[in-house]
């Protein structure tokens, strides 16, 4: 794609004051880089991805409210983490993190364990303990 043809359509990148670096050709047909705020196809893909993420966050919030999941599950989704990533952040095995996602187990966790989760999520232990969905 020629540098002058690089689309600059409105997208989530622009609303976040971000750009994407792409390889383009200049007037001498040499490869170079240029910034783009996105184009229509990219916007559609990003919008769909964000909608799916928001659905997962809302489902996790509902599960916490219904007492079928612990707040750890909600904050994991809110921070766009999966079990493997969260386990790495808190320095625990994945099976332990999964177990802590159960409300009955969550209520028995010590403040030191909760602090690891709170730090990973960038919240306080009280916020984590008292989140009801």
């Amino acid at each position: 794609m020629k540098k002058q043809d690089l689309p600059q359509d409105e997208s989530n990148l622009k609303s976040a004051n971000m750009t994407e670096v792409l390889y383009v050709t200049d007037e001498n047909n040499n490869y170079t880089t240029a910034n783009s705020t996105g184009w229509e196809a990219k916007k559609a893909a990003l919008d769909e991805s964000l909608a799916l993420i928001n659905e997962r966050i809302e489902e996790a919030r509902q599960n916490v409210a219904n007492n079928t999941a612990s707040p750890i599950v909600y904050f994991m989704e809110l921070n766009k983490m999966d079990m493997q990533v969260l386990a790495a952040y808190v320095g625990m095995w994945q099976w332990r993190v999964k177990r802590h996602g159960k409300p009955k187990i969550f209520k028995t966790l010590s403040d030191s364990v909760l602090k690891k989760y709170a730090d990973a999520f960038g919240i306080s232990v009280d916020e984590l303990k008292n989140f009801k969905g």
Side-chain angles (χ1 to χ4, degrees):
M1 176 181 311
K2 294 279 187 189
K3 189 172 188 173
Q4 66 269 16
D5 297 333
L6 187 65
Q8 299 293 336
D9 296 339
E10 296 287 324
S11 73
N12 290 322
L13 290 176
K14 187 168 187 174
S15 64
N17 289 328
M18 295 175 65
T19 58
E20 180 179 28
V21 177
L22 299 171
Y23 286 101
V24 294
T25 54
D26 61 16
E27 57 279 349
N28 299 323
N29 282 333
N30 295 322
Y31 282 99
T32 185
T33 58
N35 292 332
S36 173
T37 56
W39 58 89
E40 199 57 42
K42 183 87 162 188
K43 180 185 182 318
L46 282 173
D47 288 347
E48 179 143 351
S49 294
L50 288 173
L52 290 172
I53 289 168
N54 288 332
E55 283 177 24
R56 288 179 61 148
I57 292 168
E58 179 57 25
E59 182 181 345
R61 189 194 64 71
Q62 281 291 332
N63 288 341
V64 173
N66 295 335
N67 202 35
T68 58
S70 79
I72 290 171
V73 175
Y74 170 77
F75 286 106
M76 180 179 73
E77 291 292 347
L78 185 65
N79 287 279
K80 297 167 187 70
M81 297 177 173
D82 62 12
M83 203 68 66
Q84 185 176 6
V85 169
L86 181 55
Y89 270 94
V90 296
M92 295 180 205
W93 294 100
Q94 287 182 47
W95 66 267
R96 281 189 71 198
V97 173
K98 185 175 182 179
R99 189 168 182 263
H100 295 166
K102 298 176 183 176
K104 190 174 181 179
I105 303 298
F106 176 78
K107 290 175 185 166
T108 67
L109 296 178
S110 68
D111 281 353
S112 63
V113 171
L114 291 173
K115 175 114 174 74
K116 290 180 183 183
Y117 285 112
D119 289 347
F121 300 140
I123 60 174
S124 69
V125 172
D126 283 339
E127 285 177 274
L128 183 60
K129 276 180 163 178
N130 298 317
F131 182 77
K132 303 294 182 214

